[in-house]
Amino acid sequence: KLMVSEETGWLISKAEPEIIQNALMEAVQCSNDNLLNKRNNAFKRVEENFLWRKTIVELLHKIRELKNDFVVS
């Protein structure tokens, strides 16, 4: 889930000079529209997955679940 996709950036499979060079060349030659798309997709991904308000809501939900699991009838 944390992996960057082609929609938000460039994947570099190995830290080898040729692979890094190819990714950099793709980025430099990318159209402005494509760059804007990647940027917008990246912002959307951050908003949906990594903002504190979402993290807090998920954490509170998990705490409530755990609390309910420990309630003795």
Side-chain angles (χ1 to χ4, degrees):
K1 189 171 181 174
L2 295 178
M3 186 70 161
V4 173
S5 73
E6 292 291 332
E7 294 176 354
T8 59
W10 288 266
L11 297 176
I12 298 176
S13 58
K14 295 180 184 177
E16 295 178 4
E18 185 176 342
I19 293 173
I20 295 170
Q21 178 183 2
N22 289 339
L24 288 172
M25 290 303 295
E26 283 181 35
V28 168
Q29 296 171 354
C30 192
S31 71
N32 286 341
D33 286 341
N34 196 355
L35 283 175
L36 186 59
N37 256 350
K38 287 182 185 288
R39 175 187 170 266
N40 290 338
N41 290 337
F43 276 123
K44 182 178 177 185
R45 180 167 163 70
V46 168
E47 278 184 336
E48 291 175 352
N49 296 291
F50 305 108
L51 292 183
W52 273 113
R53 68 177 172 260
K54 180 175 174 32
T55 304
I56 295 298
V57 168
E58 289 176 2
L59 178 61
L60 290 173
H61 180 72
K62 291 291 181 187
I63 290 170
R64 286 185 188 113
E65 283 180 4
L66 289 172
K67 182 180 173 187
N68 290 336
D69 288 346
F70 288 108
V71 172
V72 178
S73 305

